[in-house]
Amino acid sequence: MSSEQTFIAIKPDGVQRGLIAPIISRFESRGFKLVAIKLANPSEELLREHYFDLQEKPFFPGLLSYMRSGPVLATVWEGKDVVKQGRAILGATNPLQSAPGTIRGDYAIDVGRNVAHGSDSVESAQKEIALWFKKEELVQYTPALHAWIYE
């Protein structure tokens, strides 16, 4: 079985609203493996690197301010097709276009308060994981339920 990793962050609004447990539960219930987790107050430097591709957008200063407004829960998940599936679990970036049953479809209304971030490709996941975590912070293990999730 080929496995990949993705970076999922619960943004300050999700943390402040007490949505950590329900969001983690969605990924665990699906069968993905949590390999790293930490609560952080990201620096402006980290956020500028993380959102490098958005620096020229007019909303960028507001994004930085919002992402520094409170703690962020940074996580790394592992599993088959987890980048694509993680995005599906989160729902569309614009919560009003997200289907009910997705995290954003259930918990968000505005794009600027869309509760969570998820890597959009395997390459961006690798970059984001390296930005937020040291290699030794990623835990390697085989969950006891592995055989009940994967063929």
Side-chain angles (χ1 to χ4, degrees), residues 4-23:
E4 63 190 31
Q5 293 180 334
T6 195
F7 176 77
I8 302 291
I10 301 175
K11 296 178 180 180
D13 57 322
V15 173
Q16 293 289 341
R17 292 176 56 199
L19 298 175
I20 290 172
I23 292 170

Side-chain angles (χ1 to χ4, degrees), residues 28-150:
E28 286 182 324
S29 296
R30 183 67 186 265
F32 294 120
K33 176 174 73 170
L34 181 64
V35 297
I37 184 168
K38 68 178 163 186
L39 193 62
N41 285 308
S43 67
E44 184 172 330
E45 180 183 350
L46 172 70
L47 293 169
R48 283 185 179 281
E49 183 69 25
H50 181 92
Y51 290 113
F52 182 80
D53 58 324
L54 301 176
Q55 286 190 40
E56 301 302 318
K57 301 288 185 183
F59 60 82
F60 187 70
L63 174 62
L64 285 181
S65 177
Y66 155 62
M67 289 298 291
R68 296 206 62 221
S69 68
V72 172
L73 188 78
T75 65
V76 179
W77 294 90
E78 187 173 292
K80 185 176 181 181
D81 204 22
V82 72
V83 172
K84 180 180 173 187
Q85 295 306 315
R87 299 281 292 182
I89 291 167
L90 290 178
T93 301
N94 182 343
L96 295 178
Q97 297 171 351
S98 292
T102 65
I103 290 166
R104 292 174 178 147
D106 290 348
Y107 299 125
I109 296 173
D110 283 334
V111 174
R113 299 292 182 270
N114 67 2
V115 182
H117 163 85
S119 300
D120 61 7
S121 69
V122 173
E123 295 75 24
S124 66
Q126 291 168 347
K127 176 185 166 232
E128 292 169 354
I129 292 166
L131 275 174
W132 289 80
F133 291 93
K134 297 174 188 164
K135 189 173 180 128
E136 60 269 16
E137 291 178 303
L138 303 177
V139 178
Q140 298 300 317
Y141 66 102
T142 302
L145 296 175
H146 184 80
W148 296 107
I149 296 169
Y150 294 103

